[in-house]
Amino acid sequence: HDVPTLTDWSLVALMGYLLVAVPFLTGVWLRARLPQLLPAWGLLWLPLLPVSQVIVPLQNRMADRYLWWSVLGLALLLVWLCERWPRVGTASSLLLLVGWTATTTERAALFGDSALVFADATRKTTESGVAPYQLAMALEAQGAPDSARAAYEEVWRRSRGGKHESARRATNNLARLEARQGRLERAEAVLRRGLEHFPQDPLMRDNLERV
């Protein structure tokens, strides 16, 4: 996903810090009446420090593994709720469990197909050329050349003149796809466009000679 690095104070930055500070201060204030709140806060936020960008602007795009630990923070509050108000706690726990199960099922189905997951990533991004590039390769592997061609062209559209490294790889892949379809003139045009932005690319020059 496209994640901008915030370098100046803004409403978004302020809300991010408040999201961390307010529950902590509330837990300190209510530590005698609600001792579970501070441990729950710690279980929620400490695993997320490497990816939250609150302490340092570290963009870790493989954050799923940290989310498992954070679930324990909410689970601790649910345990307290079940002890304090058993019916409300049990109903809340069951509702949350059903929601998590449904969401997990949907995500599992999405991640079970390369084309589906990279199409989802392409829809959720506007700048990254990696998502459409991976989508194009998945579609090509599934035998959908027209859709793959459109995805490779999307890489170039996002690249804004070959600024992304993915545009270099997409050029060679798209030219190969066009050549396999017998569209040599189109393959040549794709490679010449690529060489305008990557004139020293040896693979691109070699492919152009072959075409």
Side-chain angles (χ1 to χ4, degrees):
H1 294 194
D2 298 325
V3 183
T5 300
L6 300 178
T7 57
D8 298 309
W9 281 103
S10 65
L11 179 60
V12 173
L14 179 62
M15 290 176 64
Y17 278 97
L18 289 177
L19 190 63
V20 179
V22 170
F24 173 75
L25 294 175
T26 303
V28 173
W29 181 38
L30 299 177
R31 61 186 181 276
R33 297 170 54 189
L34 185 55
Q36 295 86 352
L37 190 56
L38 274 180
W41 177 90
L43 286 172
L44 176 68
W45 282 109
L46 292 180
L48 293 179
L49 286 180
V51 295
S52 64
Q53 301 194 68
V54 172
I55 305 301
V56 292
L58 173 64
Q59 295 188 13
N60 188 332
R61 290 175 170 78
M62 298 293 290
D64 304 48
R65 64 183 71 97
Y66 299 97
L67 301 180
W68 290 102
W69 287 104
S70 294
V71 170
L72 294 176
L74 183 56
L76 182 61
L77 291 180
L78 287 174
V79 169
W80 169 79
L81 194 61
C82 288
E83 292 175 346
R84 187 71 177 268
W85 296 290
R87 291 184 179 180
V88 175
T90 301
S92 300
S93 299
L94 289 175
L95 183 63
L96 190 61
L97 184 60
V98 170
W100 277 346
T101 301
T103 303
T104 300
T105 301
E106 185 271 335
R107 299 302 290 178
L110 181 68
F111 276 79
D113 186 294
S114 296
L116 288 179
V117 72
F118 289 123
D120 181 69
T122 300
R123 286 192 298 270
K124 292 178 178 178
T125 57
T126 58
E127 301 294 332
S128 173
V130 176
Y133 174 74
Q134 296 288 351
L135 172 61
M137 290 199 301
L139 290 170
E140 193 174 353
Q142 292 181 2
D146 292 338
S147 299
R149 182 181 294 109
Y152 281 131
E153 290 293 349
E154 176 66 13
V155 176
W156 263 99
R157 188 190 68 78
R158 296 185 179 195
S159 138
R160 293 186 179 89
K163 293 182 179 179
H164 295 328
E165 176 62 24
S166 54
R168 181 198 302 265
R169 300 193 297 269
T171 295
N172 289 305
N173 286 13
L174 179 56
R176 182 192 61 206
L177 176 63
E178 300 289 12
R180 286 178 177 175
Q181 298 290 310
R183 303 172 60 178
L184 296 182
E185 291 184 358
R186 176 57 185 159
E188 179 183 357
V190 168
L191 290 167
R192 291 193 182 280
R193 178 185 64 180
L195 284 170
E196 290 179 2
H197 301 282
F198 306 102
Q200 303 303 322
D201 187 281
L203 181 59
M204 210 175 294
R205 298 178 68 86
D206 183 56
N207 286 336
L208 180 59
E209 290 179 4
R210 293 184 180 186
V211 169

